Amino acid sequence: MSKKNIIIASSIAVLAILLFVNRTKKVDWTPTYDETKTKPLDTKVFFDQLSHWFPSQEINTLYTTYYEYSVDLEDSLYYAKRNYISVSDNYAIDKPSFEELLYYVEQGNQAFIAAHTFPKFMQDTLGFETDYNPVYLKEKAKASYLEHLDDSLVYTLKNPYGEAFIKDTVSVDRLGYTFNEFCEEQSNFVRIPYKEGFFYLHTTPELFTNYQLLETKSSFYHDNVISFLPEHPVLFEKNIKIDPNLLKGPLSFILSKPALKWSYYLALMGMFFFMLFNAKRRQRVIPIIEPLKNTTTEFVHTLSTLHLESEDYNGMIQKNIIYFLEFVRRRYHLPTDKLNDDFIKKLAQRSGKPQEQIEQLISKILKMRSHKFSTPDPLKQLNKALEDFYTTT
């Protein structure tokens, strides 16, 4: 490496180090509501408190949509009593998941949802309506009260999107409220009965963030809010759904520590400059020999691309079910118009498969027949179950 190149590389490295040392750490007030992060508007403190509020109860975290989670549950877990909890800025649940959640609540379970906004189809189904106060450009002290309890929480308004509240109707039971700028009561915590269970809706989710929980001098308000839920296992739905297995790579620890992360970046920068100034071609150019084209592979690739671009996952699921039932009729001479216990028993006897495997497969088919899907995961799950059946048939 020439003296000039050494000076250039050293100058860039020193500049990078100075920028790292002298950088100012700004507080990030983005309302992400991530239960694994410590930013002010994340929910790690609230999530850690769940084991205190529900002692000796299992705390599970939901990394998928609620429908994808429930479709694979065994009957013993599907009908087990649980508390569903979600804290987010925007409760963006899809219709199939909400239908499963409705069925879950009507069995006598509880769903606690804290959010500023709720889907329109959810409001129509449960019979409530939200509204919003104007956005305030400066921090403002507020208080949230609980109905029929001498308890309140004073907090500093940090939400930049305004304040949400639920309009009072006959279908909602008010449990908490705030006052607007005209000293009018507005419901921010309500209970909505749905058959045997209840939905608990809170329109001030920032009360459950790290900043507000650590800022308040007493936990009585949060204790009283959570006390409406029975002592059952908890299913906590993540606001940011990232599979934890994706975070267990070899670099996850290094990138999680600022000092190690910048050392790693500087090492990569040094390798880049080394290759830039010293890399030379040390062999003759090797000509590229094009392999013979496989037209069959191209044909399969073309058909696969058409299915992928159409994104008709539900159509492919229903076709797989039709082909499976046709295979059963042709191979085992069984009628498939009634997929009942007698059909399962006969198919298990004729195919040699365990009856438990056949029951799980037929249960999955019956569930997927009555729903429409817009994601590839249910298709993958059905395809795996069918492959397990076909492989040893």
Side-chain angles (χ1 to χ4, degrees):
M1 182 182 293
S2 66
K3 184 177 181 180
K4 179 181 179 181
N5 291 338
I6 293 176
I7 294 175
I8 295 175
S10 301
S11 301
I12 295 176
V14 170
L15 179 62
I17 294 174
L18 291 176
L19 290 175
F20 167 71
V21 172
N22 296 320
R23 77 190 192 283
T24 56
K25 189 174 182 180
K26 296 182 178 179
V27 178
D28 186 359
W29 289 96
T30 305
T32 49
Y33 295 91
D34 189 337
E35 83 288 351
T36 64
K37 303 297 182 181
T38 57
K39 292 187 298 183
L41 295 185
D42 284 322
T43 55
K44 179 175 174 54
V45 176
F46 175 78
F47 182 78
D48 292 343
Q49 279 291 103
L50 291 177
S51 59
H52 167 73
W53 287 320
F54 302 95
S56 304
Q57 300 294 337
E58 186 177 5
I59 311 295
N60 293 316
T61 309
L62 183 58
Y63 294 93
T64 63
T65 65
Y66 187 81
Y67 175 78
E68 292 170 332
Y69 163 79
S70 62
V71 74
D72 288 329
L73 283 179
E74 300 177 358
D75 288 345
S76 58
L77 294 177
Y78 189 84
Y79 295 102
K81 296 296 184 182
R82 299 187 305 276
N83 292 313
Y84 169 91
I85 298 178
S86 172
V87 181
S88 63
D89 185 58
N90 174 32
Y91 186 58
I93 190 172
D94 56 80
K95 284 189 175 181
S97 296
F98 183 63
E99 291 174 358
E100 285 292 330
L101 185 60
L102 284 174
Y103 182 74
Y104 151 84
V105 172
E106 76 177 30
Q107 305 303 313
N109 292 298
Q110 325 290 319
F112 176 83
I113 304 169
H116 286 116
T117 59
F118 302 88
K120 185 65 168 59
F121 60 82
M122 177 180 177
Q123 298 184 41
D124 294 340
T125 303
L126 298 181
F128 73 96
E129 184 180 356
T130 58
D131 205 346
Y132 303 89
N133 292 323
V135 176
Y136 295 98
L137 299 180
K138 62 180 181 180
E139 295 183 359
K140 184 178 181 180
K142 293 281 294 183
S144 184
Y145 302 87
L146 290 177
E147 194 84 7
H148 308 307
L149 291 174
D150 187 17
D151 191 11
S152 64
L153 174 66
V154 178
Y155 64 98
T156 304
L157 184 64
K158 295 288 186 178
N159 176 38
Y161 308 119
E163 299 175 275
F165 62 92
I166 295 177
K167 294 183 177 180
D168 294 329
T169 61
V170 294
S171 62
V172 302
D173 180 16
R174 188 171 79 173
L175 303 177
Y177 59 93
T178 59
F179 289 97
N180 62 13
E181 59 180 340
F182 304 107
C183 296
E184 298 171 338
E185 294 184 1
Q186 294 179 331
S187 301
N188 70 335
F189 181 34
V190 301
R191 175 173 58 193
I192 302 178
Y194 187 79
K195 297 187 178 179
E196 300 297 323
F198 294 97
F199 280 89
Y200 294 91
L201 307 181
H202 205 299
T203 61
T204 317
E206 63 187 283
L207 295 184
F208 308 97
T209 59
N210 297 332
Y211 175 80
Q212 302 296 358
L213 280 166
L214 296 176
E215 182 75 7
T216 183
K217 298 179 180 179
S218 171
S219 63
F220 291 157
Y221 179 88
H222 300 93
D223 293 342
N224 285 327
V225 168
I226 297 300
S227 68
F228 284 96
L229 303 178
E231 287 196 15
H232 291 156
V234 174
L235 178 62
F236 186 87
E237 178 154 13
K238 289 177 64 67
N239 182 43
I240 301 177
K241 293 180 171 59
I242 300 178
D243 193 330
N245 294 323
L246 299 178
L247 302 178
K248 295 180 180 178
L251 294 177
S252 59
F253 178 77
I254 294 177
L255 297 179
S256 65
K257 307 296 182 182
L260 294 178
K261 178 176 69 174
W262 279 96
S263 300
Y264 175 70
Y265 289 158
L266 288 174
L268 291 180
M269 187 182 301
M271 293 178 61
F272 170 77
F273 284 113
F274 175 80
M275 297 175 62
L276 178 66
F277 296 129
N278 291 278
K280 295 181 179 179
R281 186 178 298 277
R282 300 185 181 276
Q283 65 179 23
R284 297 176 60 187
V285 177
I286 300 176
I288 299 175
I289 302 176
E290 295 288 343
L292 296 176
K293 294 184 177 180
N294 187 337
T295 55
T296 302
T297 303
E298 291 180 354
F299 176 73
V300 173
H301 176 72
T302 301
L303 291 180
S304 301
T305 302
L306 289 175
H307 283 289
L308 181 62
E309 292 178 349
S310 65
E311 296 184 352
D312 185 18
Y313 303 117
N314 187 67
M316 286 186 278
I317 287 175
Q318 303 308 323
K319 288 184 175 61
N320 273 331
I321 294 175
I322 293 173
Y323 295 154
F324 167 74
L325 296 179
E326 174 60 25
F327 175 82
V328 170
R329 290 193 294 270
R330 186 181 70 253
R331 179 70 177 270
Y332 301 111
H333 308 291
L334 288 174
T336 59
D337 54 333
K338 295 181 179 180
L339 304 182
N340 50 22
D341 293 339
D342 183 60
F343 172 83
I344 293 173
K345 183 177 179 181
K346 290 181 179 179
L347 181 57
Q349 292 174 346
R350 299 190 185 185
S351 65
K353 295 284 187 179
Q355 185 166 338
E356 181 180 357
Q357 179 183 353
I358 302 299
E359 289 175 351
Q360 292 176 356
L361 175 60
I362 298 304
S363 176
K364 189 181 293 292
I365 287 175
L366 292 174
K367 286 183 180 180
M368 291 187 170
R369 264 182 164 182
S370 60
H371 291 83
K372 292 186 178 180
F373 307 90
S374 59
T375 61
D377 290 336
L379 174 61
K380 294 178 182 178
Q381 297 168 7
L382 176 62
N383 187 59
K384 184 180 183 307
L386 292 177
E387 284 181 352
D388 292 340
F389 179 87
Y390 291 137
T391 48
T392 55
T393 300

